[in-house]
Amino acid sequence: MDHPGGATTPRPPIVTDYFAAPNDAVAATVVHQEAGPSVVARGSGQPLFDTVRLPAVEPFVVLGRIAAALCGRPYAEVTAHPRHGAVVDGADEGPWVVTVSDELAHALAATPPERLAAVARSHARLSGPVPADLLVPALVALGELADRAGRVRHDLYCWTRLTPPSSRRPAMAGASVRTRRPA
């Protein structure tokens, strides 16, 4: 994204795709897929998982701060939840599939989009690193994903991989929120 004065924002060092799956074993099946949970099913051309790509919203610290704001509990409490960022599968260097706590998934699903937008703006203003113009639609999309997942009794997960240094080009234009829903 170009900013006034010609400055650019570097591409986030991680890719984070949040998705819904019925259980940990099914979620783990995407850990080594190049497309992550957006992998397309053979024959249908449709993604296997309902997925939202969030620009650099990593599932540990950033999502922990958001969880604290949404759940009205201290950061240390929400991040101590056994399913907050618990690794389901992945190698030391990634990619990884990690869990999103049920408490946060329920809070995301139950929170109106206006409140999610306010939390996103507050988080971006207070602790960055994701600008509000990217975080607001991302958090609203994550809330919608949590709602859809809850209706079919699926859990939320995050597929995360590091961006290779050679692909960390300037401009976050390619880091916008992307959603893919199975047909």
Side-chain angles (χ1 to χ4, degrees):
M1 165 185 299
D2 290 334
H3 292 282
T8 59
T9 303
R11 185 174 301 242
I14 61 171
V15 175
T16 52
D17 286 354
Y18 287 83
F19 66 105
N23 56 51
D24 291 359
V26 173
T29 64
V30 302
V31 74
H32 297 294
Q33 295 290 330
E34 182 65 29
S38 295
V39 66
V40 175
R42 291 183 191 168
S44 74
Q46 299 298 316
L48 287 176
F49 297 93
D50 191 354
T51 306
V52 176
R53 172 161 289 170
L54 304 183
V57 178
E58 56 82 24
F60 307 103
V61 176
V62 174
L63 202 60
R65 289 179 179 153
I66 290 169
L70 286 178
C71 298
R73 296 186 33 229
Y75 173 83
E77 276 185 31
V78 296
T79 58
H81 189 286
R83 300 252 325 152
H84 176 82
V87 177
V88 172
D89 197 1
D92 289 344
E93 303 278 321
W96 307 272
V97 171
V98 300
T99 59
V100 173
S101 75
D102 297 337
E103 177 185 38
L104 177 55
H106 294 303
L108 285 163
T111 303
E114 305 79 36
R115 170 82 174 113
L116 291 173
V119 167
R121 282 190 293 276
S122 176
H123 175 75
R125 185 179 66 253
L126 295 175
S127 57
V130 182
D133 62 334
L134 292 177
L135 191 56
V136 168
L139 195 54
V140 170
L142 186 58
E144 292 167 351
L145 173 65
D147 182 56
R148 292 189 302 273
R151 283 190 262 132
V152 295
R153 295 191 173 125
H154 283 189
D155 294 320
L156 289 185
Y157 297 87
C158 181
W159 176 83
T160 303
R161 72 172 163 82
L162 300 174
T163 305
S166 63
S167 67
R168 292 184 194 162
R169 297 177 302 260
M172 285 186 76
S176 62
V177 176
R178 182 196 75 218
T179 61
R180 299 197 60 176
R181 295 182 190 111

